[in-house]
């Protein structure tokens, strides 16, 4: 656009002259000439034709001046404001007065456009905006305009929507819009940077300009370098004139700065200083804030904090000063004010603000008005309200009738607005997230909530390509949470999940750490219910895993805990343990190990919370149980977490205690080699089981019974007895206790192990035998479809002396050490009859049976002990020995680490001699028999089949080293 017609703007090119030219007195002198060019006012009532006094002075009332002074009402024709002659008159005045023109008439014209917009109760529509801008090609601001004209023009045009960008704007119209805004910004920058400062720069103008620029950005205008320069020029003025601002200015300024920052403006020192200067004024003038100002300021402070502003003492004091005003003004807030206030308080709390009595009272004061004004909330307001309620609930707001009633009042309107397709993609994501979070915090899955979810799901599918990664992550998280809390797995939900998984693949490179975490967590949760192991799920997981490794340094402890939990859960549900998954796990483990530093060396944010520690131990146990290699790094990570258990023992909740004890039992069961701290961690947790016993649900109890049983002799007998008495009673007292078949089987196995320990120690176990019978009866006429369950039923039948309702198939295998002991005994006692791998009373096969003497010899490898220490027997070993003794067999246990040493083996040979009454042949030298056995035993490489099965490579490694092989435990063990 040619700016020559704008008079002075053409003479001050931006790239040329500075704002402070030596000897430049043009602005003041021109203003003086303009003030002298006065014309006596005349009666203007007849000046309605463009012909009369066409070239009158700017202070005279020509056609444009008459129009501008007329009141504007909603019925006024917009054409009155957009007549060609009106604009021509403004341009003529500007050209004629040149450097002496102060922009007054232009400001008045802009103000009339704003009045029209306000009277119409809406900004200009696209047609009106286009019609106006086509006439404003020569409506150009200059540096000679005074401060009032500049502030009035920019503020008025912004309020009316003149600068709002639209997608399908005509290029010429768009150019005019950009040029007009550019000239205004240039003149503002010039005024702000004049030295000495330009006269009449007032507080109201500063507030209005910053408000207008924030509004421009909020409506989609780009933050150009010129725009940012104008903001930067205004901020020092805001700081300098802080004492001049009235409450409305303070509210508008804080709102503007918050909105600018929320739209990408950096938190510069100038902006921080301006905010810091205003905050004390909030406290000083709190008595004079109107309801809208109160709402805007709390919203602004919440936005600033959410974008990095520190919660300084001044900010906290400002918030504290305003909260009583919320309660005081509660009847005067408009619907938008209620939304902004609840959103602001939720956001402040979410960023660390204390839940003070004043804050709780302010929330409680507003909630009834959500219910009474529910019909006035639009889709965006409903979204923000539900989000606020969810965040407040997530941060400890009690689920009193107030919040519940407010949510219940809003849910039907979710349904209505969803059917009308009023929700945008971000709002769909936020509403579903909020409902999921509320359900997770105890909100009942009411018919209204289910209907609201069902109404939104089709829009997820329809708008799938418009969701950014954050939306995708939040939506998948929300659906997983809703299903986890009882939402039905409808076809609509499955379609929505499938649509989002496809978008995970499409957007894989754009997911941030938290989003990757949420998606992986959601997929793991949904794998339990909706997804199973679909190709779409596998593809999405495969797509994200490389980004876990690539961004591993950016994950915070909570992310790491959730990611490892998710990977373990997915593997447990059938996902292959691929190289990519192993690499992702390996990449995260160093962050777990880093926790072993002294607590004072780690910031609070860098620490794992108790729930994270529990999830991590569970995850590692699951991964190992499903075949993950026991690397030194993984063992170190486990040791680090076990130390954390001891340090945080008082802070674990019932489910976390359950998960950790289960994990420790499973890790021990998989022979995690001599884990440091395992015994101490178990001992630290067990007292808290008794302390919190009333809070354990049946599923927790089943897992606890199983865990303590697996840990065997690592837990002292008196502690086990005490625990089982309190936990088993909770199940048996109420026969209607909801226990799944799996839970009953776990409980039954655990109780049998405890019975076995009491039996082996010659203690009374009658009270527990009754519980075995009770649990066994609850399984009557059921046949588990897995081997482990069948083994448990067969074992219980044997213990109770009942007919076995199932016929489990026990795999048999002859180990090298077992064969070695047989050959040794056979050479020492040639007449001794020995049988191998014999199954007795529906029990797993014994290693060696001496049928003539009712004696069983068990050759115990590392898998029979907790941690492979050859001292602490695990639950399976204890139960098998007790059952054999109960059946009338004498049992001799020979740990494999005794073999090969004559002195260590002599007591066992003597014991067999005493019990059988058979004298050993020759000198009974163990070493001689050992050499003979070595020559006759098969090697692992030959793998010669026998009547009793095969010698495996793992067993061969175990026998040679005396250490546990890296393999999964046999079912029969």
């Amino acid at each position: 656009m040619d700016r020559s017609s704008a008079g002075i703007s053409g003479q001050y090119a931006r790239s040329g002259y500075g704002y402070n030219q030596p000897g430049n007195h043009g602005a003041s002198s021109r203003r003086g000439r303009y003030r002298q060019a006065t014309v006596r006012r005349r009666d203007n009532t007849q000046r309605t034709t463009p012909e009369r006094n066409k070239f009158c002075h700017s202070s005279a009332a020509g056609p444009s001046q008459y129009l501008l002074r007329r009141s504007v009402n909603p019925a006024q024709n917009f054409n009155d404001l957009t007549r060609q002659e009106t604009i021509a008159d403004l341009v003529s005045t500007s050209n004629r007065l040149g450097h002496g023109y102060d922009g007054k008439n232009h400001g008045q014209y802009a103000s009339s456009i704003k009045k029209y917009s306000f009277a119409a109760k809406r900004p200009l529509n696209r047609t009106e905006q286009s019609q106006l801008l086509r006439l404003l090609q020569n409506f150009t601001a200059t540096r000679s305009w005074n401060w009032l004209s500049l502030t009035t023009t920019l503020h008025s045009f912004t309020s009316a929507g003149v600068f709002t960008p639209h997608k399908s704007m005509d290029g010429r119209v768009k150019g005019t819009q950009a040029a007009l805004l550019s000239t205004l910004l240039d003149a503002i920058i010039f005024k702000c940077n004049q030295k000495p400062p330009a006269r009449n720069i007032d507080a109201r103008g500063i507030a209005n300009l910053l408000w207008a620029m924030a509004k421009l950005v909020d409506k989609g205008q780009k933050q150009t370098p010129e725009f940012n320069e104008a903001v930067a020029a205004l901020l020092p003025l805001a700081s300098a004139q802080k004492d001049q601002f009235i409450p409305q200015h303070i509210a508008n300024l804080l709102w503007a700065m918050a909105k600018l920052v929320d739209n990408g403006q950096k938190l510069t020192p100038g902006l921080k200083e301006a905010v810091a200067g205003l905050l004390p004024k909030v406290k000083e003038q709190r008595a004079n804030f109107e309801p809208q100002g109160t709402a805007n300021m709390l919203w602004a402070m919440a936005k600033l904090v959410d974008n990095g502003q520190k919660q300084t003492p001044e900010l906290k004091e400002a918030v504290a000063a305003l909260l009583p005003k919320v309660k005081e003004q509660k009847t005067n807030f408009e619907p938008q004010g209620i939304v902004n206030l609840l959103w602001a308080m939720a956001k402040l709390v979410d960023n660390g603000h204390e839940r003070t009595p004043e804050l709780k009272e302010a929330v409680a004061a507003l909630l009834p008005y959500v219910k009474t004004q529910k019909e006035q909330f639009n889709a965006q307001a409903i979204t923000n309200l539900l989000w606020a309620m969810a965040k407040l609930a997530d941060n400890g707001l009690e689920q009193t009738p107030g919040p519940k009633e407010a949510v219940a009042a809003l849910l039907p309107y979710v349904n209505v607005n969803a059917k009308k397709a009023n929700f945008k993609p971000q709002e769909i994501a936020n509403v579903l997230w909020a409902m999921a979070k509320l359900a997770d915090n105890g909100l009942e899955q009411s018919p209204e909530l289910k209907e609201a979810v069902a109404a939104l799901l089709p829009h997820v599918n329809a708008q799938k390509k418009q969701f950014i990664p954050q939306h995708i992550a939040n939506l998948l998280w929300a659906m997983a949470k809703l299903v986890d809390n009882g939402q039905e797995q409808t076809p609509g939900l499955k379609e929505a999940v499938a649509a989002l998984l496809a978008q995970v693949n499409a957007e894989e490179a754009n997911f941030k750490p938290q989003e990757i975490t949420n998606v992986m967590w959601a997929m793991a949760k949904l794998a339990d219910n909706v997804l199973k192991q679909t190709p779409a799920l596998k593809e999405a997981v495969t797509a994200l895993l490389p980004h876990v490794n690539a961004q591993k340094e950016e994950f915070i402890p909570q992310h790491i805990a959730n990611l490892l939990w998710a990977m373990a859960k997915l593997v447990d549900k059938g996902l292959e343990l691929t190289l990519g998954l192993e690499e992702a796990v390996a990449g995260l483990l160093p962050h777990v190990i880093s926790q072993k530093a002294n607590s004072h060396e780690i910031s609070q944010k860098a620490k794992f919370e108790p729930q994270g520690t529990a999830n991590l131990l569970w995850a590692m146990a699951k991964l190992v149980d499903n075949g993950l290699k026991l690397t030194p790094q993984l063992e170190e990570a486990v040791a680090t977490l076990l130390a954390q258990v001891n340090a945080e023992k008082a802070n674990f909740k019932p489910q976390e205690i359950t998960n950790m004890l289960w994990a420790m039992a499973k890790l021990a069961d998989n022979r995690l080699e001599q884990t440091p701290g395992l015994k101490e961690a178990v001992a630290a947790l067990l007292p808290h089981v008794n302390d919190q016993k009333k809070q354990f649900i049946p599923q927790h109890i089943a897992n606890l019974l199983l865990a303590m049983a697996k840990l065997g002799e690592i837990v002292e007998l008196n502690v086990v007895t005490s625990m089982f008495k309190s936990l088993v009673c909770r199940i048996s007292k109420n026969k209607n206790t909801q226990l799944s078949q799996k839970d009953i089987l776990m409980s039954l196995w655990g109780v049998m192990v405890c019975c076995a320990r009491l039996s082996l120690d010659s203690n009374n176990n009658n009270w527990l035998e009754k519980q075995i019978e009770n649990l066994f009866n609850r399984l009557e006429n059921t046949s588990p479809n897995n081997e482990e369950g069948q083994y448990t039923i067969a074992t219980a039948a044997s213990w109770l002396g009942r007919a076995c309702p199932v016929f489990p198939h026990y795999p048999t295998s002859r180990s090298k050490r077992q064969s070695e002991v047989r050959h040794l005994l056979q050479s020492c006692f040639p007449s001794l009859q020995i049988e191998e791998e014999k199954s007795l009373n529906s029990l797993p096969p014994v290693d060696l049976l001496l049928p003539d003497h009712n004696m069983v010899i068990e050759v115990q490898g590392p898998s029979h002990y907790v941690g492979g220490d050859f001292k602490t027997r695990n639950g399976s070993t204890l139960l098998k020995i007790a059952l054999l003794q109960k059946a009338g067999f004498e049992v001799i246990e020979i740990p494999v680490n005794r073999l090969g040493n004559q002195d260590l083996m002599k007591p066992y040979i003597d014991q067999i001699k005493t019990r059988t009454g058979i004298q050993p042949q020759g000198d009974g030298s163990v070493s001689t028999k050992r050499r003979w056995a070595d020559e006759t035993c098969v090697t692992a490489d030959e793998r010669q089949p026998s009547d009793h099965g095969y010698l495996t490579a793992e067993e061969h490694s175990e026998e040679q080293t005396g250490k546990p092989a890296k393999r999964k435990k046999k079912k029969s063990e």
Side-chain angles (χ1 to χ4, degrees):
M1 169 181 155
D2 180 10
R3 296 185 184 169
S4 58
S5 62
I8 198 168
S9 67
Q11 298 176 30
Y12 290 90
R14 287 182 192 79
S15 58
Y17 304 102
Y19 293 131
N20 185 24
Q21 299 180 40
N24 179 13
H25 304 289
S28 60
S29 62
R30 283 193 296 274
R31 182 172 178 81
R33 288 198 302 274
Y34 175 69
R35 289 170 64 186
Q36 291 167 9
T38 55
V39 176
R40 179 171 55 89
R41 290 185 177 275
R42 300 174 59 184
D43 181 12
N44 294 318
T45 54
Q46 302 301 318
R47 290 178 196 234
T48 58
T49 61
E51 292 83 4
R52 187 171 184 181
N53 290 327
K54 187 172 182 180
F55 296 105
C56 60
H57 285 247
S58 62
S59 58
S64 60
Q65 282 71 39
Y66 173 69
L67 176 64
L68 299 180
R69 286 207 298 268
R70 282 171 51 187
S71 63
V72 180
N73 60 64
Q76 181 177 348
N77 190 338
F78 185 67
N79 291 331
D80 287 348
L81 295 171
T82 54
R83 293 189 304 176
Q84 183 68 50
E85 55 268 28
T86 302
I87 305 300
D89 185 55
L90 290 171
V91 173
S92 173
T93 302
S94 177
N95 287 341
R96 180 167 49 77
L97 293 176
H99 301 332
Y101 180 55
D102 63 1
K104 178 181 178 182
N105 292 349
H106 283 68
Q108 288 177 336
Y109 179 76
S111 183
S112 70
I113 297 295
K114 182 181 81 170
K115 287 178 182 176
Y116 168 79
S117 164
F118 277 23
K121 297 182 180 179
R122 58 167 177 80
L124 301 183
N125 59 40
R126 192 175 304 182
T127 303
E128 290 169 338
Q129 184 199 53
S130 179
Q131 183 182 346
L132 176 64
L133 283 168
R134 288 178 189 279
L135 296 173
L136 296 184
Q137 293 181 60
N138 294 321
F139 186 105
T140 309
T142 71
R143 292 177 175 180
S144 69
W145 282 21
N146 63 29
W147 182 252
L148 179 61
S149 298
L150 285 170
T151 56
T152 300
T153 303
L154 183 60
H155 183 271
S156 297
F157 277 164
T158 301
S159 297
V162 174
F163 292 123
T164 301
H166 295 292
K167 288 182 180 178
S168 56
M169 285 177 71
D170 178 83
R172 187 178 172 188
V173 170
K174 195 173 183 180
T176 301
Q177 187 187 64
L180 176 55
L181 179 58
S182 180
T183 61
L184 284 165
L185 292 175
D186 174 66
I188 290 164
I189 293 167
F190 176 72
K191 290 288 181 194
C192 291
N193 288 301
Q194 275 187 307
K195 293 181 181 177
R199 288 184 291 168
N200 300 323
I201 292 181
D202 64 330
R204 179 181 179 182
I206 295 166
N208 283 352
L209 283 174
L210 280 167
W211 179 92
M213 285 191 268
K215 200 73 172 172
L216 284 170
V217 171
D218 197 43
K219 293 295 182 183
Q221 278 288 349
K222 292 181 180 178
Q223 287 179 296
T224 61
E226 188 176 39
F227 181 95
N228 291 335
E229 189 180 350
V231 171
L234 283 165
L235 289 173
L237 299 179
S239 294
Q241 299 210 28
K242 60 187 177 186
D243 293 331
Q244 308 302 318
F245 292 119
I246 61 173
Q248 185 182 353
H249 298 161
I250 296 168
N252 285 354
L253 278 166
L254 281 170
W255 180 91
M257 288 185 243
K259 187 59 82 171
L260 286 166
V261 169
D262 197 45
N263 281 288
Q265 183 81 26
K266 291 181 180 178
L267 268 170
T268 60
L271 196 144
K272 289 179 182 178
E273 189 180 340
V275 170
L278 289 171
L279 289 175
K281 302 296 170 188
V282 175
K283 188 178 177 182
E284 288 173 17
Q285 302 194 37
R286 61 178 179 263
N288 300 320
F289 285 109
E290 295 179 356
Q292 186 177 351
T294 302
N296 283 357
M297 281 195 298
L298 279 167
W299 180 93
M301 287 188 277
K303 264 292 175 193
L304 286 165
V305 167
D306 198 43
N307 282 287
Q309 176 78 27
K310 290 182 180 178
Q311 291 219 33
T312 59
E314 292 78 11
L315 188 141
K316 290 179 180 178
E317 286 174 10
V319 171
L322 288 173
L323 289 173
K325 298 289 291 181
V326 174
K327 190 177 177 183
E328 177 189 319
Q329 298 173 343
K330 61 185 179 182
T331 57
N332 299 320
F333 289 112
E334 296 178 357
Q336 184 67 47
I338 294 169
V339 175
N340 287 355
L341 281 166
L342 283 167
W343 181 93
M345 288 186 273
K347 186 56 83 172
L348 285 166
V349 169
D350 197 44
N351 280 290
H353 194 81
E354 290 180 24
R355 288 182 291 110
T356 59
E358 291 79 10
L359 189 139
K360 292 178 182 177
E361 287 172 11
V363 171
L366 289 173
L367 289 176
Y369 297 95
V370 173
K371 188 176 177 181
T372 57
Q373 300 196 40
K374 59 189 176 183
E375 294 179 2
Q376 298 180 54
F377 296 119
N378 61 18
Q380 185 183 358
I382 291 166
T383 302
N384 287 351
L385 281 168
L386 284 170
W387 183 93
M389 303 291 225
K391 268 295 173 190
L392 287 166
D394 200 40
N395 283 290
L397 182 72
E398 293 84 0
Q399 287 293 301
T400 57
K404 289 181 179 178
E405 288 173 10
V407 171
L410 291 171
L411 287 175
Y413 292 92
V414 173
N415 205 349
V416 170
N417 279 282
K419 287 177 180 175
K420 293 179 181 178
N422 291 335
F423 286 106
K424 297 173 184 174
Q426 184 175 353
E427 291 161 2
I428 293 169
N430 285 358
V431 169
L432 279 167
W433 181 92
M435 290 191 285
K437 188 54 93 169
L438 286 164
D440 199 43
N441 280 291
L443 182 71
E444 187 184 347
Q445 288 249 1
S446 62
E448 291 79 10
L449 188 140
K450 291 178 180 178
E451 286 172 13
V453 171
L456 284 171
L457 289 175
H459 298 286
V460 174
N461 211 350
Q463 301 190 44
K464 59 187 177 186
K465 292 187 179 177
Q466 297 177 49
F467 292 116
I468 61 174
Q470 185 184 357
H471 300 161
I472 295 166
N474 285 354
L475 281 165
L476 281 169
W477 183 94
M479 288 185 225
K481 267 292 175 192
L482 285 165
V483 169
D484 202 38
N485 284 290
Q487 182 76 23
E488 293 176 16
Q489 299 166 38
T490 60
L493 189 139
K494 291 178 180 179
E495 286 172 13
V497 169
L500 289 169
L501 286 178
Q503 292 305 113
V504 172
N505 265 336
E507 296 279 350
E508 61 175 287
N510 300 319
F511 283 97
K512 295 175 184 174
Q514 184 173 354
E515 293 153 7
I516 292 171
T517 305
N518 285 355
V519 171
M520 291 287 288
W521 184 93
M523 288 191 289
K525 270 289 178 187
L526 290 165
D528 262 346
N529 305 291
V530 180
L531 292 174
K532 308 303 180 186
Q533 287 295 327
T534 60
L537 181 137
K538 291 179 182 177
E539 287 171 13
V541 172
T542 304
L544 284 178
L545 284 175
H547 299 286
V548 173
N549 224 355
Q551 300 185 48
K552 61 188 177 186
E553 300 300 328
E554 299 174 46
F555 290 106
I556 62 172
Q558 185 184 354
H559 298 162
I560 293 163
N562 286 352
L563 274 170
L564 283 167
W565 179 92
M567 288 187 261
K569 192 73 169 175
L570 286 163
V571 168
D572 197 46
K573 291 296 173 182
L575 189 74
E576 287 182 38
L577 199 61
T578 60
L579 180 62
L581 196 144
E582 289 181 354
E583 287 175 355
V585 171
L588 293 172
L589 288 178
H591 296 281
V592 179
I593 295 167
S594 68
Q595 298 288 307
K596 68 183 176 185
N598 293 329
S599 58
H600 67 271
E601 295 175 4
I602 307 174
S603 69
Q604 199 60 37
K605 283 188 176 180
K607 289 182 180 179
F608 288 110
E609 294 181 356
Q611 185 181 356
T613 303
N615 284 353
L616 281 166
L617 270 172
W618 182 92
M620 290 183 206
K622 267 293 175 193
L623 287 165
V624 168
D625 199 42
N626 281 288
L628 186 71
K629 292 178 183 177
L630 277 168
T631 61
Q633 194 179 41
L634 192 143
E635 292 184 353
E636 190 178 354
V638 169
T640 300
L641 289 169
L642 290 174
Q644 289 290 103
V645 171
N646 217 351
E648 294 280 349
K649 59 188 177 186
N651 301 320
F652 291 110
K653 298 174 184 174
Q655 184 171 356
E656 291 157 6
I657 293 171
T658 303
N659 286 355
M660 283 190 294
L661 283 168
W662 180 92
M664 287 185 258
K666 186 57 75 172
L667 288 164
D669 204 31
N670 280 285
R671 290 173 278 168
L672 190 67
E673 199 170 337
Q674 298 294 320
T675 306
L678 179 67
K679 191 170 184 178
E680 292 80 358
V682 171
L685 281 178
L686 288 177
H688 298 283
V689 175
N690 256 341
D691 294 345
Q692 302 185 44
K693 60 187 177 185
K694 292 183 180 179
Q695 298 176 49
F696 288 103
I697 61 173
Q699 187 183 1
H700 296 163
I701 293 171
N703 281 325
L704 281 169
L705 294 175
L706 178 78
M708 284 190 282
K710 278 188 176 295
L711 287 166
E713 292 176 326
I714 202 172
V715 186
E716 292 180 13
L717 182 59
N718 63 331
V719 175
V720 173
T721 307
S722 168
M723 296 282 199
F724 272 69
K725 276 184 178 178
S726 61
L727 293 175
V728 176
C729 284
R730 292 207 55 218
I731 298 176
S732 59
K733 276 183 181 177
N734 185 2
K735 292 186 178 180
N736 296 320
T737 302
Q738 292 300 311
L739 280 173
S740 66
Q741 184 189 75
K742 182 181 176 183
D743 293 335
I744 295 172
L745 287 166
M746 286 195 295
S747 302
L748 178 58
W749 191 85
V751 171
M752 283 194 292
V753 171
C754 185
C755 245
R757 286 196 67 182
L758 289 169
S759 171
L760 292 171
D761 277 70
S762 302
N763 287 316
N764 176 23
N765 62 359
N766 291 338
W767 61 277
L768 266 181
E769 284 198 350
K770 291 178 182 177
Q771 302 304 331
I772 294 175
E773 188 169 12
N774 175 40
L775 290 166
F776 185 80
N777 290 338
R778 290 171 78 168
L779 287 168
E780 198 171 4
N781 300 322
T782 63
S783 179
N785 57 6
N786 61 78
E787 291 179 350
E788 200 168 334
Q790 291 180 356
Y791 299 159
T792 301
I793 288 178
T795 305
S798 177
W799 189 280
L800 296 170
R802 301 242 195 120
C804 187
V806 295
F807 302 95
H809 171 71
Y810 295 111
T812 59
S813 61
R814 184 183 63 165
S815 73
K816 180 180 177 181
R817 296 299 180 124
Q818 175 184 326
S819 299
E820 181 181 331
V821 171
R822 175 177 181 166
H823 290 310
L824 176 62
L825 293 177
Q826 205 76 69
S827 62
C828 287
F829 308 100
S831 62
L832 189 65
Q833 186 180 349
I834 303 172
E835 295 181 15
E836 282 187 85
E837 293 297 305
K838 185 77 173 178
S839 186
L840 306 169
N841 295 353
S842 301
L843 298 178
V846 298
D847 292 339
L848 301 174
L849 172 67
L850 310 184
D852 296 337
H853 305 281
N854 257 20
M855 186 180 294
V856 168
I857 297 172
E858 286 286 280
V859 182
Q860 311 290 48
S863 64
H864 293 270
Y865 303 91
V866 180
D869 65 356
F870 294 103
K871 295 177 183 177
T872 312
R873 293 175 293 183
N874 62 27
S876 298
T877 304
L878 293 167
L879 181 56
K880 186 176 179 181
I881 294 165
L883 278 164
L884 288 167
Q885 288 185 354
K886 190 176 176 68
F889 294 94
E890 184 175 353
V891 183
I892 295 176
E893 299 174 75
I894 304 178
V896 296
N897 66 340
R898 305 291 196 274
L899 300 178
N901 185 305
Q902 182 175 346
D903 293 334
L904 293 176
M905 279 299 295
K906 189 173 185 304
Y908 299 106
I909 298 295
D910 291 343
Q911 188 178 1
I912 294 167
K913 180 186 76 173
T914 303
R915 302 294 168 83
T916 61
I918 304 172
Q919 291 297 320
Q921 286 194 358
D923 61 1
S925 170
V926 175
S927 58
T928 304
K929 310 305 181 289
R930 166 81 186 185
R931 286 195 299 274
W932 182 85
D934 286 341
E935 291 169 3
T936 56
C937 285
V938 295
T939 65
D941 292 334
E942 292 169 346
R943 295 193 183 184
Q944 294 295 327
S946 72
D947 293 338
H948 307 290
Y950 297 91
L951 179 69
T952 65
E954 289 89 350
E955 288 169 331
H956 177 66
S957 169
E958 206 169 86
E959 312 299 351
Q960 293 294 323
T961 63
K963 294 182 179 180
K966 308 299 183 185
R967 64 175 175 84
K968 287 184 68 175
K969 183 175 68 62
K970 293 188 295 184
K971 295 283 186 183
S972 59
E973 293 171 354

